Amino acid sequence: MTFSPELEARFEKLLKSYPEGRESSALVPMLLYAQDEIGAVTPELVEEVARRLRLTPAAVESVVSYYSMLRKHPVGKYHIQICTNISCQLTGGEELFEHACRKLGIGNREVTPDGLFSIEEVECLGACSWAPAIEVNYDYHHKVTPEALDRLIDSLRKLH
Amino acid sequence: MSKLVRLEIDGKPVEVPAGTLVINAAKTVGIEIPAFCYYDGLTLQGACRMCLVEVEKSPKLVTACTLAAAEGMVVRTQTPQVVQARKAMLEFLLTNHPLDCPVCDKGGECELQDLTFRYGLGESRFLETKVHVPEKQWSAVVYYDAPRCILCYRCVRICKEGMGVSALAVVSRAVDSEIAPNMGDHLYCDECGMCIDICPVGALTSQDYRYQTRPWEMKHVGTICTHCADGCTTTLGVYNNRVIRGNNHDRTGLNGEFLCVKGRYAHDFIAHSERLKCPLMRVDGKLVEVSWSQALAEVAARFGGIRSRGGKFGVIGSTRTTNEENWYLQKFAREGLGTGNIDHHRSGDVISLLSALKGRADALAATSDLYERKAALVIGSDLAQQHPLVAFQLRANWRHHESHIYTVTRGPVREDAYSRLRVRAEAGRELAAAKSLRQALQAEPELLILFGDCVRGAAVHELVEFGDSLGIPVRYICLVDYVNSRGAMDMGLTPGLLPGYQPAAAPGLDLAGMLAAADLDALWVVGANPLKNAALAAERAFVVVQDLFLTETAARADIVLPAACAYEKTGTVTNVCGEVQRLSRAVTTMGAKPDLEIFRSLAARMGLDLGEPETDRVYAEMRRQLPVPAAGEAARGVVASAGDTLFTSGTLGRYCGVLRNVREAPGGLYQ
Ligand code: SF4
Ligand code: SF4
Ligand code: SF4
Ligand code: FES
Ligand code: FES
């Protein structure tokens, strides 16, 4: 399996960041970075990372299946993660989630046919002070109203 | 010895070496701290929280299985808070645990049952429907029942750390977490069953034993595994004269709880449908069933006739019969039949090793050395395949003591993963390759050298010279194939050597010589299958075979006598390190007789008085003074390992259904 030179460089740096013999600690960041590039944690990626870290694929699979942010299926170009945990729920997170689903015509963990958007209902994003919070890819948006969400989605769509 | 620390557990003063875990420190004063995930010899997991205790000055309860005892520590294991924590942990483990106990294999020997009995709540407050997942079959021997699993990681760790296989992992999280095999839906592994054995509950079960009986209905018979030469004790579970499981969970024997697939499962040959249960005699070219007395009378008469006219005998002994049987057989051959033509299939050159050591008994390694010596050099063996216990002990030594392993093999072996240096050598170049490690080996404080059949004859002498030249204490293990390969040599089943490696007055023919002698009048084969790959030159020879099955050799016989297997008799066998261990009879097969009984009946019918087997005397003498056979003795005959893997066991292996069924398993040497 081949990766972009940037990703390879990142891996190289990562592998040097841990004490000798503990290189397998690079597992989670490696998977995350690779997921960003490939779109999902594919079986080939599992094999490849296992080979590089001298782990068994089963051990890698064990970690992949544990972390919800490691995904086996590709998400949209803009992955909208809407928090419905307690603080956000009290401030309209659930309505926001339903609104997003209606607007995009997809359900939880689904992708729009054009591959641009996907939605995921998530647990606390650690942004309770600014609830309801959402995260689009790695960007946070605070105190999001349905209208603000509409504007965000429209502006993203315009980029394409 | 590390320094001692003093602490207090439940008011009792305790003194233990620094670094001792509190859970073990408590044991020294008879206090039990309940545990699931903690397991002696494996890495710490801290997964089950069953071992929580109160430690003074610690704000929260602490897991005793991960806490090292420290000077002045005050531990309490019986406070209301601890008692409550245990109840809560068990209640939690039982939320989705099925009420399978009445049919679960583990019922009666289940750690979850035991701890619930002792520390549980007594009543369930849980009314919701339990999460159920169907049972899965992962291989011909391993089954997994997820709802029973308490996620203690013991199976994951024993497979990774103990076996070096890493076939298991935990997947998913929360209520969906379960153990998953390396191939997604099935296993590709050693099929050792160690994971099943170590599982505290009935989540992992084995093909042979599942739903067969209750543990307390079995008779448990500790005996020696009949397959490879490592000499593991396997405790056979016997129900209605049938062996239904093998394990060694009670850690009797030099293998502790280790067993490979053969010691654990390959007992099904006992009840194989092709097992011989009646003597056979050739009548008009065909083998027909006859009575024991008829068969024995015929053998005695024919042997007697050939002996009185000075005919030529050949006797081939076994690597699976007992020392007593081997002793008796050689005596029968030499004194009763007057022949020196006696041999067996030799798979390692023990004779050359003894002759090279010149009586230095302390240069012979014991099984315990595998776990204790600081360095080991493995020459020409794929240990994980050919000597599973040896491989397991060397790996444990490396894990626990960071011992240094060096390998010289013709292909990849499992030890490569943790060996300090590894050299690939073409067949025949192993010794030279081993010598290339001189510098590294010299720096070791001590060394264990294990060598396979590629080092034989003069090469063994050369190896010992090399070992001596290192200037450090060196001990040797000559790797041989089967349960009593070593004993067959010790007891004189060789043309030139009597029991205890004493020179024979008139050395006879070796195995190949007997098969090639066109003028042989009689061939007597006991528990061996020499005609599998070779022809018998003497077409008219009278052939008698004692065996469990109608092997290629038995099919050529004039008389076939059905023999009992090692699990059906008593006696002693000698393992690869020369340790003599006792067999116990677990079951009997109607119609088959132990070889010793057959020998005695024949001797009686031939009017021979051969006395009682003197194996104890032979071993006592060998211990008093290690014999030094003449260097030339080893040259008599051939030394070649049969090259069995984890999933073969000579001719016997063909009748072990379980070994043939584990298709998922890798097998094969040097892969
Ligand atoms: S049976 Fe297979 S999975 Fe279980 S411990 Fe042995 S090698 Fe590992
Ligand atoms: S299968 Fe058994 S040994 Fe493995 S984690 Fe579950 S309970 Fe523990
Ligand atoms: S290692 Fe050898 S003696 Fe031990 S169980 Fe396996 S075959 Fe039997
Ligand atoms: S509950 Fe939504 S960010 Fe914390
Ligand atoms: S035994 Fe201590 S956490 Fe499991």
Side-chain angles (χ1 to χ4, degrees):
Chain A
M1 186 164 200
T2 49
F3 303 111
S4 67
E6 296 77 38
L7 189 56
E8 284 293 359
R10 238 173 163 172
F11 282 174
E12 203 174 314
K13 182 150 172 270
L14 252 181
L15 288 176
K16 287 201 204 97
S17 331
Y18 300 93
E20 210 184 306
R22 302 284 182 96
E23 289 81 3
S24 61
S25 303
L27 179 57
V28 171
M30 262 177 98
L31 286 168
L32 266 176
Y33 292 146
Q35 170 175 278
D36 285 345
E37 179 163 309
I38 304 165
V41 180
T42 59
E44 298 76 54
L45 179 61
V46 168
E47 293 271 342
E48 179 66 21
V49 171
R51 195 180 59 74
R52 292 188 184 210
L53 297 179
R54 294 199 193 179
L55 293 167
T56 59
V60 175
E61 185 60 40
S62 175
V63 169
V64 173
S65 61
Y66 181 84
Y67 289 107
S68 57
M69 285 173 75
L70 293 172
R71 296 177 289 257
K72 293 192 189 171
H73 301 288
V75 289
K77 180 151 199 243
Y78 303 104
H79 186 51
I80 306 174
Q81 299 150 78
I82 305 174
C83 175
T84 56
N85 211 310
I86 191 79
S87 308
C88 298
Q89 185 194 50
L90 291 173
T91 50
E94 283 187 341
E95 292 72 20
L96 197 61
F97 171 70
E98 278 157 25
H99 178 81
C101 291
R102 267 195 309 276
K103 172 151 178 91
L104 291 172
I106 53 174
N108 190 25
R109 298 193 188 179
E110 288 180 359
V111 189
T112 53
D114 58 6
L116 269 188
F117 297 101
S118 52
I119 300 177
E120 187 175 357
E121 182 178 7
V122 296
E123 303 304 332
C124 183
L125 288 170
C128 306
S129 315
W130 305 282
I134 71 168
E135 195 186 352
V136 180
N137 297 345
Y138 288 115
D139 298 330
Y140 273 75
H141 298 265
H142 299 146
K143 298 195 177 166
V144 184
T145 59
E147 298 70 39
L149 185 60
D150 283 347
R151 284 197 298 278
L152 179 63
I153 290 175
D154 294 340
S155 68
L156 289 173
R157 192 171 269 146
K158 276 208 199 95
L159 297 176
H160 294 272
Chain B
M1 188 82 192
S2 48
K3 102 179 198 309
L4 294 178
V5 294
R6 269 159 311 192
L7 66 162
E8 187 189 303
I9 304 180
D10 292 346
K12 290 189 192 176
V14 185
E15 203 175 53
V16 289
T20 306
L21 297 168
V22 169
I23 194 170
N24 289 331
K27 272 179 211 154
T28 65
V29 289
I31 295 172
E32 179 191 68
I33 298 178
F36 287 115
C37 70
Y38 176 74
Y39 203 86
D40 255 349
L42 297 183
T43 53
L44 305 181
Q45 192 75 38
C48 73
R49 323 310 283 179
M50 192 60 211
C51 64
L52 292 171
V53 291
E54 234 177 79
V55 178
E56 212 161 77
K57 298 202 186 83
S58 164
K60 291 199 286 183
L61 298 183
V62 190
T63 47
C65 74
T66 55
L67 181 68
E71 186 67 37
M73 198 177 247
V74 178
V75 180
R76 296 194 189 89
T77 75
Q78 300 295 341
T79 63
Q81 216 195 343
V82 171
V83 169
Q84 176 52 33
R86 289 173 183 169
K87 289 196 162 106
M89 282 327 300
L90 284 164
E91 191 181 23
F92 173 66
L93 287 176
L94 291 169
T95 44
N96 279 313
H97 197 88
L99 287 176
D100 265 357
C101 305
V103 295
C104 176
D105 283 356
K106 208 74 177 190
E109 51 184 17
C110 170
E111 296 176 39
L112 183 58
Q113 276 187 341
D114 293 348
L115 295 192
T116 303
F117 174 75
R118 252 175 287 174
Y119 306 104
L121 201 54
E123 208 171 272
S124 174
R125 297 179 296 172
F126 191 73
L127 300 172
E128 287 75 2
T129 314
K130 295 191 181 230
V131 174
H132 181 74
V133 187
E135 188 180 43
K136 304 177 184 88
Q137 181 176 8
W138 284 345
S139 78
V141 293
V142 187
Y143 285 71
Y144 177 63
D145 194 348
R148 289 181 187 162
C149 175
I150 60 168
L151 293 167
C152 66
Y153 288 73
R154 278 192 199 173
C155 54
V156 176
R157 285 175 287 157
I158 192 74
C159 188
K160 177 174 181 205
E161 299 165 18
M163 302 306 300
V165 173
S166 300
L168 302 173
V170 177
V171 294
S172 292
R173 60 198 289 181
V175 74
D176 299 322
S177 328
E178 57 178 44
I179 305 296
N182 53 359
M183 306 307 279
D185 61 350
H186 67 279
L187 276 170
Y188 183 75
C189 72
D190 281 8
E191 309 287 356
C192 62
M194 288 295 284
C195 50
I196 301 173
D197 198 39
I198 206 171
C199 181
V201 296
L204 287 164
T205 55
S206 69
Q207 165 64 36
D208 64 339
Y209 177 62
R210 58 202 307 274
Y211 303 124
Q212 290 290 314
T213 181
R214 313 304 291 152
W216 56 86
E217 287 182 324
M218 285 182 285
K219 181 173 80 168
H220 302 277
V221 184
T223 188
I224 307 301
C225 165
T226 193
H227 296 282
C228 90
D230 296 358
C232 296
T233 294
T234 175
T235 303
L236 302 173
V238 181
Y239 181 62
N240 272 344
N241 193 35
R242 209 157 55 87
V243 174
I244 50 181
R245 80 172 186 194
N247 76 23
N248 207 41
H249 209 67
D250 60 6
R251 301 189 187 199
T252 50
L254 40 79
N255 48 317
E257 66 201 313
F258 173 82
L259 283 178
C260 79
V261 60
K262 290 189 257 190
R264 198 180 300 280
Y265 301 119
H267 48 68
D268 53 347
F269 67 87
I270 304 172
H272 193 284
S273 59
E274 287 171 37
R275 190 70 198 274
L276 296 172
K277 291 177 185 155
C278 181
L280 303 171
M281 186 155 102
R282 195 167 294 278
V283 180
D284 299 331
K286 275 212 198 88
L287 285 173
V288 298
E289 295 192 348
V290 293
S291 68
W292 268 102
S293 53
Q294 206 181 337
L296 290 172
E298 175 75 6
V299 176
R302 296 287 298 268
F303 277 5
I306 294 168
R307 183 188 51 183
S308 53
R309 68 180 150 82
K312 192 167 187 171
F313 284 96
V315 178
I316 296 175
S318 175
T319 48
R320 295 203 212 255
T321 48
T322 64
N323 290 322
E324 293 70 21
E325 290 167 336
N326 293 346
W327 186 93
Y328 205 92
L329 180 63
Q330 63 81 32
K331 179 103 164 177
F332 203 131
R334 292 187 163 112
E335 284 180 20
L337 305 177
T339 183
N341 303 336
I342 181 162
D343 203 357
H344 70 285
H345 172 189
R346 268 175 271 164
S347 48
D349 201 348
V350 176
I351 299 175
S352 288
L353 179 61
L354 292 181
S355 107
L357 289 181
K358 302 201 173 60
R360 284 181 286 153
D362 66 347
L364 288 177
T367 297
S368 55
D369 287 327
L370 295 165
Y371 182 66
E372 288 163 5
R373 293 266 133 179
K374 298 197 162 51
L377 165 65
V378 183
I379 307 175
S381 181
D382 186 346
L383 293 178
Q385 289 287 332
Q386 298 177 281
H387 291 277
L389 172 67
V390 170
F392 183 84
Q393 296 293 55
L394 284 182
R395 196 159 43 241
N397 192 359
W398 166 74
R399 282 192 296 127
H400 295 157
H401 313 134
E402 295 175 2
S403 63
H404 293 166
I405 314 285
Y406 301 86
T407 52
V408 178
T409 54
R410 62 183 152 88
V413 291
R414 193 171 298 165
E415 288 68 40
D416 287 347
Y418 58 92
S419 58
R420 262 193 103 208
L421 294 172
R422 56 211 75 92
V423 188
R424 292 278 175 276
E426 285 165 41
R429 302 267 314 135
E430 289 94 343
L431 183 58
K435 287 183 170 178
S436 73
L437 297 171
R438 170 182 290 279
Q439 221 176 358
L441 297 177
Q442 256 167 345
E444 297 291 352
E446 57 183 6
L447 185 66
L448 200 58
I449 299 183
L450 303 90
F451 61 97
D453 64 338
C454 61
V455 182
R456 54 182 175 235
V460 179
H461 289 264
E462 217 181 310
L463 177 66
V464 172
E465 271 164 36
F466 172 67
D468 289 345
S469 76
L470 293 174
I472 52 171
V474 179
R475 288 186 175 172
Y476 299 86
I477 297 179
C478 172
L479 298 165
V480 291
D481 282 356
Y482 300 119
V483 56
N484 208 21
S485 285
R486 176 65 189 270
M489 275 173 287
D490 291 351
M491 287 303 136
L493 291 189
T494 42
L497 296 167
L498 304 176
Y501 301 89
Q502 300 308 313
L509 295 173
D510 65 17
L511 199 154
M514 287 182 250
L515 297 183
D519 58 343
L520 203 68
D521 294 296
L523 180 68
W524 186 9
V525 181
V526 177
N529 191 11
L531 300 186
K532 185 182 161 213
N533 301 316
L536 179 61
E539 281 170 17
R540 322 256 310 250
F542 172 64
V543 178
V544 177
V545 172
Q546 296 177 201
D547 211 314
L548 278 67
F549 297 99
L550 199 65
T551 63
E552 286 85 347
T553 307
R556 159 64 184 85
D558 296 282
I559 305 273
V560 182
L561 302 172
C565 73
Y567 298 144
E568 295 163 335
K569 59 188 172 194
T570 54
T572 61
V573 288
T574 308
N575 77 353
V576 65
C577 292
E579 286 140 341
V580 183
Q581 306 191 87
R582 199 163 287 284
L583 300 179
S584 303
R585 180 191 293 125
V587 290
T588 46
T589 292
M590 283 283 281
K593 289 184 195 297
D595 293 289
L596 187 58
E597 196 180 320
I598 302 175
F599 298 154
R600 284 192 207 271
S601 308
L602 279 177
R605 278 167 198 266
M606 291 177 68
L608 301 171
D609 179 12
L610 300 174
E612 286 301 310
E614 294 172 5
T615 54
D616 290 351
R617 182 184 58 75
V618 174
Y619 278 119
E621 251 158 51
M622 279 177 67
R623 269 190 288 273
R624 197 173 51 76
Q625 181 155 40
L626 192 68
V628 187
E633 273 314 325
R636 237 187 275 278
V638 184
V639 170
S641 163
D644 278 305
T645 70
L646 263 181
F647 307 102
T648 64
S649 184
T651 301
L652 188 63
R654 304 204 307 240
Y655 299 93
C656 297
V658 68
L659 297 182
R660 301 162 61 107
N661 287 340
V662 283
R663 293 173 206 287
E664 304 86 354
L669 301 179
Y670 306 109
Q671 288 178 1

